[in-house]
Amino acid sequence: MRHGVLILPEHRWREARLRWARAEEYGFDHAWTYDQLMWRWLRDKPWFGTVPTLAAAATATTAIGLGTMVATPTYRHPVPFAKEVMSLDDISDGRFVCGLGVGAGAVDDLVVDRTERTPRERADRFAEFVEVTDLLLRRRVTSYAGAHYRVDEVWMNPGCVRAPRTPFAIAATGPRGMRLAARYAQTWITAGRPATFDARPYEQVLPDIAAQVRAAERACEEVGRDPASLRRLLLTGAAVGGVLDSVESWRDASGRFAEVGITDLVVHWPRLDFPYAGDERVLEDIAGDLTTTVGGLR
């Protein structure tokens, strides 16, 4: 089991830098931040840009993996986004993980594009977004013409640090999204029940997560991939609660989720209030318990 922490981009860099560096010192394998323009409950609070935050985090750390949780086509276009991914991969010396997701289709997603799309339309656009981003990061020159994107002779130099490209981590809960993860990603991401902040105790959601893991494994088999080659990351805190109540609960949750096939468990850096309210001292206690080798999702 590998462990990660998600740090909200809500603090000025002097304070935020300490958290990113501390995440590495604590022994977490990877650290993430949300790729949102704002957060639904924190719209009147500080919220900094994802790419500059991760670039700065890469200079404040040396070994921990860094990633987006998750970038969506709602306010990302494959061409400039691929350039940013390539740049982050270089700045981090190959530690960046490109987290991707379809988006919720509401609230924060609507601040740039008010177009209301059906779930199928959003899924179609996301599938093309992943395909084009994959091509751009693998090739030196890319042209593409699809239903949602057209790119003409886009040059990508010098390319990614890692070959054939920066690894993808794709969030998905449905069959189609899971097949997309099986086809393109090194890691599949779930947060439990989609689009919910009604967190249930982790013991209660174990059957749901186990069922999702089995579905992801079936998706791998459908595309001819060995299921064991796909990492399975669970983001806790929204639909999955109780993990950071204490070191004991963290240990118990890690063991139980590992038993059902989760390979990577991510918790939120505790805040003083909702969402993700908790006690930072629990992270300090967990630090003494982390024995995995720092190195991220490589």
Side-chain angles (χ1 to χ4, degrees), residues 101-113:
V102 69
V107 193
D108 293 348
D109 286 3
L110 299 177
V111 298
V112 171
D113 185 355

Side-chain angles (χ1 to χ4, degrees), residues 268-286:
H268 287 79
W269 194 286
R271 304 178 69 253
L272 293 176
D273 50 22
F274 179 86
Y276 316 122
D279 189 342
E280 288 189 21
R281 289 174 297 184
V282 175
L283 285 185
E284 296 177 5
D285 293 338
I286 287 173

Side-chain angles (χ1 to χ4, degrees), residues 4-11 13 16 19-20 30-37 39 46-57 65-72 76 81 88 96-100 189 235 266-269 276:
V5 61
L6 192 145
I7 303 172
L8 269 62
E10 59 181 337
H11 298 284
W13 183 241
R19 298 193 176 199
W20 289 94
H30 35 82
W32 309 76
T33 197
Y34 282 126
D35 189 26
Q36 297 278 356
L37 298 179
W39 196 248
W47 193 270
F48 292 96
T50 302
V51 172
T53 294
L54 287 172
L66 306 169
T68 48
M69 187 73 74
V70 286
T72 78
R76 296 291 185 191
F81 180 63
L88 286 172
F96 180 64
V97 178
C98 182
L100 301 169
I189 298 173
L235 174 63
V266 176
V267 297
H268 287 79
W269 194 286
Y276 316 122

Side-chain angles (χ1 to χ4, degrees), residues 7-268:
I7 303 172
L8 269 62
E10 59 181 337
H11 298 284
R12 293 188 181 277
W13 183 241
R14 181 173 296 180
E15 180 179 354
R17 186 181 191 279
L18 296 175
R19 298 193 176 199
W20 289 94
R22 197 171 299 149
E24 182 169 81
E25 293 170 2
Y26 282 168
F28 285 103
D29 295 290
H30 35 82
W32 309 76
T33 197
Y34 282 126
D35 189 26
Q36 297 278 356
L37 298 179
M38 60 192 74
W39 196 248
R40 62 187 76 187
W41 295 287
L42 303 174
R43 290 190 170 198
D44 61 341
K45 307 294 183 182
W47 193 270
F48 292 96
T50 302
V51 172
T53 294
L54 287 172
T59 65
T61 57
T62 59
I64 193 169
L66 306 169
T68 48
M69 187 73 74
V70 286
T72 78
T74 304
Y75 26 77
R76 296 291 185 191
H77 185 282
V79 173
F81 180 63
K83 284 282 187 177
E84 292 176 337
V85 170
M86 181 183 70
S87 301
L88 286 172
D89 195 48
D90 183 76
I91 295 168
S92 66
D93 194 24
R95 291 184 286 132
F96 180 64
V97 178
C98 182
L100 301 169
V102 69
V107 193
D108 293 348
D109 286 3
L110 299 177
V111 298
V112 171
D113 185 355
R114 300 296 299 180
T115 304
E116 294 188 9
R117 296 179 174 88
T118 66
R120 181 181 181 85
E121 290 171 336
R122 290 192 294 113
D124 288 344
R125 184 174 64 157
F126 179 59
E128 199 168 293
F129 177 82
V130 172
E131 180 182 4
V132 179
T133 305
D134 172 70
L135 291 173
L136 288 164
L137 293 173
R138 287 177 181 271
R139 298 176 176 177
R140 282 293 185 268
V141 185
T142 299
S143 295
Y144 179 94
H148 301 275
Y149 299 103
R150 179 185 178 90
V151 301
D152 296 304
E153 293 190 24
V154 177
W155 286 75
M156 293 284 290
N157 279 318
C160 296
V161 172
R162 281 173 290 182
R165 58 152 168 79
T166 298
F168 285 178
I170 294 181
T173 55
R176 184 178 180 186
M178 288 183 178
R179 286 193 296 272
L180 201 65
R183 184 173 292 112
Y184 289 100
Q186 284 64 50
T187 301
W188 159 68
I189 298 173
T190 179
R193 289 186 299 172
T196 179
F197 274 81
D198 182 20
R200 292 186 294 159
Y202 64 86
E203 304 96 322
Q204 296 181 14
V205 303
L206 274 168
D208 295 336
I209 301 303
Q212 288 184 341
V213 169
R214 291 193 295 272
E217 292 173 344
R218 288 195 297 271
C220 288
E221 293 168 354
E222 290 172 6
V223 302
R225 175 177 181 171
D226 178 4
S229 68
L230 181 69
R231 301 198 66 84
R232 303 90 179 264
L233 185 152
L234 172 61
L235 174 63
T236 66
V240 181
V243 176
L244 275 187
D245 286 353
S246 66
V247 176
E248 290 71 26
S249 64
W250 176 82
R251 289 173 183 161
D252 184 56
S254 295
R256 293 193 186 209
F257 285 122
E259 288 176 359
V260 300
I262 293 297
T263 63
D264 295 81
L265 188 69
V266 176
V267 297
H268 287 79

